[in-house]
Amino acid sequence: MKNNHEKTVSTKIKNSIFYFLLFILPKNFISLLVGKILSVAWPKSINLFLLRNFIKIFSINSNEAEKNIEDYESIQEFFCRRLGEGTRKISQKSNVVISPCDGVVSEFGLIENGRLLQVKGKYYQLSELLGCPKRAAHFEGGHFCTIYLSPRDYHRFHVPIDGCIRETIYIPGTLWPVNRWAVKNIKNLFCINERIISLFEEQQRAKSLACVAVGATMVGKIKLQYCSLESNSKQKLTSIKHEGENQVRVNKGQELGRFMFGSTIVLLFEKGLISGFEHSSGNIKMGEVLARLAENLE
């Protein structure tokens, strides 16, 4: 019993020290700096050596990449790689929501009393995640799903449903890690890290889905395919509406954006958009069925 107690105390001390170091470090600046370093195009022999070790350290399946590893000019270019043709099968069923990314489904469930589950016993406010109580009220009674991307995963994310993007919001913040330790120990983690939100309207049901791309330590940038907003760029809170001639129509599986190193996607579903989840825990690949759309069209 004493040994277990000593281990618990030791773990708490280590966590406290780790938290303190992360707290005092300029996380955004370090992430931006690391992003620039990883973007350096070294001489080919050095670059290949670095890439091979990078792949080995993080157990990355380089066979899925669009190009041979010697054709990538930097670690960052490889990390944000596209996949080879046919590497991911995107479900063509009209009544499903696909996973927008590779990763691990860490939490899912109902949005109740304006709260989402971060980890067992810890909740956070949807209004803080979205930066607006009015936006949050739109998703009350709906569902959410959190997908964590580790450094080994494919790091582009894609459109989960057919429809259109009505609004894009950039919310500045800090860049804490989003790994298991951070999720358990950092209060309101997804609300204090910077994030970019894409607000969708589903094609047939005219109901909303939000894709929240959450930044993390070493994520130099989150970049979108359809919009110029990007993270860690000294921008203030920004909202761009896509209306009229600027409307952005998208198809399921279309590339939405990309980010560097491990991060997180939080999906929000308006009440009545989905009937339930098909994949609610463990590893998932981009294009696999995540949830089923509700059958009755209102």
Side-chain angles (χ1 to χ4, degrees), residues 51-146:
L51 271 174
R52 284 174 174 162
N53 281 278
F54 183 80
I55 289 165
K56 185 178 180 181
I57 289 168
F58 292 109
S59 302
I60 297 169
N61 184 358
S62 59
N63 293 325
E64 293 184 333
E66 181 184 45
K67 302 186 289 187
N68 295 323
I69 61 169
E70 58 265 24
D71 295 326
Y72 290 96
E73 295 185 355
S74 68
I75 291 177
Q76 176 131 350
E77 185 189 357
F78 171 77
F79 197 88
C80 296
R81 65 198 176 278
R82 286 190 169 92
L83 298 178
E85 188 73 29
T87 304
R88 294 287 179 275
K89 291 184 179 179
I90 297 169
S91 175
Q92 297 303 313
K93 296 178 181 178
S94 61
N95 64 334
V96 301
V97 178
I98 64 165
S99 174
C101 59
D102 288 6
V104 175
V105 176
S106 56
E107 297 294 345
F108 72 100
L110 287 172
I111 301 168
E112 297 179 299
N113 301 315
R115 301 193 310 168
L116 286 76
L117 182 66
Q118 180 169 305
V119 70
K120 187 176 180 180
K122 292 182 184 291
Y123 292 84
Y124 60 98
Q125 294 294 320
L126 181 56
S127 59
E128 293 182 20
L129 178 71
L130 297 180
C132 175
K134 188 175 179 181
R135 284 192 205 109
H138 200 68
F139 292 96
E140 179 63 34
H143 294 78
F144 79 95
C145 179
T146 306

Side-chain angles (χ1 to χ4, degrees), residues 140-154:
E140 179 63 34
H143 294 78
F144 79 95
C145 179
T146 306
I147 305 175
Y148 168 68
L149 295 81
S150 73
R152 75 177 62 181
D153 290 315
Y154 164 61

Side-chain angles (χ1 to χ4, degrees), residues 5-75:
H5 175 69
E6 288 174 352
K7 285 180 181 178
T8 301
V9 172
S10 176
T11 299
K12 286 183 177 179
I13 292 172
K14 288 177 182 176
N15 284 345
S16 297
I17 293 171
F18 186 51
Y19 175 86
F20 176 73
L21 290 172
L22 281 172
F23 181 79
I24 62 173
L25 286 172
K27 295 174 282 298
N28 292 51
F29 174 74
I30 290 172
S31 298
L32 192 61
L33 180 63
V34 170
K36 289 184 180 296
I37 292 171
L38 295 178
S39 297
V40 172
W42 300 100
K44 195 158 188 176
S45 58
I46 296 174
N47 188 59
L48 192 56
F49 172 79
L50 293 172
L51 271 174
R52 284 174 174 162
N53 281 278
F54 183 80
I55 289 165
K56 185 178 180 181
I57 289 168
F58 292 109
S59 302
I60 297 169
N61 184 358
S62 59
N63 293 325
E64 293 184 333
E66 181 184 45
K67 302 186 289 187
N68 295 323
I69 61 169
E70 58 265 24
D71 295 326
Y72 290 96
E73 295 185 355
S74 68
I75 291 177

Side-chain angles (χ1 to χ4, degrees), residues 118-269:
Q118 180 169 305
V119 70
K120 187 176 180 180
K122 292 182 184 291
Y123 292 84
Y124 60 98
Q125 294 294 320
L126 181 56
S127 59
E128 293 182 20
L129 178 71
L130 297 180
C132 175
K134 188 175 179 181
R135 284 192 205 109
H138 200 68
F139 292 96
E140 179 63 34
H143 294 78
F144 79 95
C145 179
T146 306
I147 305 175
Y148 168 68
L149 295 81
S150 73
R152 75 177 62 181
D153 290 315
Y154 164 61
H155 265 66
R156 293 184 182 239
F157 50 99
H158 294 248
V159 175
I161 54 170
D162 293 328
C164 63
I165 300 174
R166 292 186 287 104
E167 188 178 6
T168 306
I169 305 110
Y170 167 61
I171 302 179
T174 188
L175 287 172
W176 288 94
V178 290
N179 57 19
R180 187 176 298 178
W181 178 88
V183 170
K184 286 183 177 179
N185 291 280
I186 307 298
K187 185 179 179 182
N188 297 328
L189 176 63
F190 303 139
C191 301
I192 58 177
N193 272 15
E194 64 175 14
R195 50 214 179 273
I196 293 181
I197 304 160
S198 300
L199 285 176
F200 294 83
E201 184 174 280
E202 195 271 335
Q203 190 167 274
Q204 292 181 301
R205 291 155 186 81
K207 289 187 178 292
S208 299
L209 179 150
C211 179
V212 185
V214 182
T217 307
M218 303 310 172
V219 177
K221 296 281 184 184
I222 301 172
K223 292 190 175 183
L224 300 173
Q225 282 295 100
Y226 69 92
C227 180
S228 61
L229 282 183
E230 61 180 43
S231 70
N232 208 0
S233 57
K234 297 182 180 179
Q235 286 181 313
K236 296 180 180 180
L237 175 66
T238 307
S239 171
I240 297 176
K241 298 214 181 260
H242 308 287
E243 300 171 336
E245 294 180 358
N246 296 319
Q247 188 179 67
V248 180
R249 298 205 65 81
V250 289
N251 297 313
K252 188 167 53 181
Q254 184 178 327
E255 188 177 313
L256 188 62
R258 63 193 185 276
F259 35 31
M260 181 65 185
F261 240 68
S263 201
T264 293
I265 293 280
V266 180
L267 291 176
L268 308 171
F269 304 90

